[in-house]
Amino acid sequence: MHAFDEEARKALKDRLPFRVFLDPLAQDFAADYLRSAQQFVHGQIRDIFQSESPGPNSLLLQLLAVEIWGRRIFIVLDVNHDTYDWDTAHNTLENNLPVFRFKLHKDKKRGNITRDKALDRRVNNRIAELHRLNGLDVRPPYLADHSPGADPIQYRAPRNT
């Protein structure tokens, strides 16, 4: 079974917007990290969060970023962020959601979802920065491979701030 802390349960029950951060091992995903993460979010994570949601159509998930950092992948998604505005998502004042950490158990069938205030600033600033760097031509989900030996990341038309 999955363990949701009280804040996570309340956020889902009240349909409050929040952000989820995961950092699974890269080896647990196919080489096409973006597609693999999309399938994971819209399959397993959707099922997990849907089990705590008040109704069958009350869950909105949006994958925002997949970043590969060697052995780890950082995945960030928004849950029930109905007011998400891509045009202003680079602004940290408008892009400031509570962040919950999703930790998947080793059996890959269970997980813990807990509020992690220590991640708020770092995750929200990084998502805002990815919106800024990717400019107005590229929409999420954003993919960035920072692994040793990966091609340098190039941002062609960053937004002006």
Side-chain angles (χ1 to χ4, degrees), residues 4 8 11-12 16-24 40-41 45 48-49 59-66 74-81 97-104 112-116 119-120 123-124 127:
F4 286 77
L12 281 168
L16 301 173
F18 61 93
R19 198 154 272 163
V20 175
F21 172 82
L22 304 88
D23 62 343
F40 180 66
V41 166
I45 290 179
I48 291 167
F49 280 77
L59 184 67
L60 173 65
L61 296 179
Q62 180 177 6
L63 179 61
L64 294 175
V66 177
F74 293 171
I75 299 172
V76 178
L77 62 130
D78 278 357
V79 178
N80 295 330
H81 192 179
L97 294 177
V99 177
F100 289 77
R101 179 183 291 273
F102 181 92
K103 270 198 144 353
L104 195 60
N112 293 336
I113 296 91
T114 56
R115 179 73 169 94
D116 192 339
L119 287 174
D120 285 0
V123 169
N124 286 320
I127 293 301

Side-chain angles (χ1 to χ4, degrees), residues 7-18:
E7 278 191 75
R9 272 201 176 85
K10 180 170 177 27
L12 281 168
K13 179 181 171 279
D14 295 345
R15 210 172 185 298
L16 301 173
F18 61 93

Side-chain angles (χ1 to χ4, degrees), residues 27-52:
Q27 70 188 26
D28 293 340
F29 285 79
D32 183 348
Y33 292 110
L34 184 58
R35 181 180 297 246
S36 186
Q38 286 172 320
Q39 290 171 343
F40 180 66
V41 166
H42 294 291
Q44 189 170 355
I45 290 179
R46 175 173 289 288
D47 291 345
I48 291 167
F49 280 77
Q50 193 72 46
S51 69
E52 292 288 327

Side-chain angles (χ1 to χ4, degrees), residues 62 64 84-92 94-95 127-140 142 155-161:
Q62 180 177 6
L64 294 175
Y84 169 82
D85 184 353
W86 178 75
D87 290 323
T88 61
H90 63 287
N91 182 343
T92 54
E94 295 187 33
N95 186 28
I127 293 301
E129 181 68 357
L130 286 171
H131 278 85
R132 188 191 72 74
L133 288 170
N134 281 282
L136 296 171
D137 295 332
V138 181
R139 290 190 177 255
Y142 301 122
Y155 301 103
R156 306 221 185 292
R159 299 179 191 195
N160 294 327
T161 53

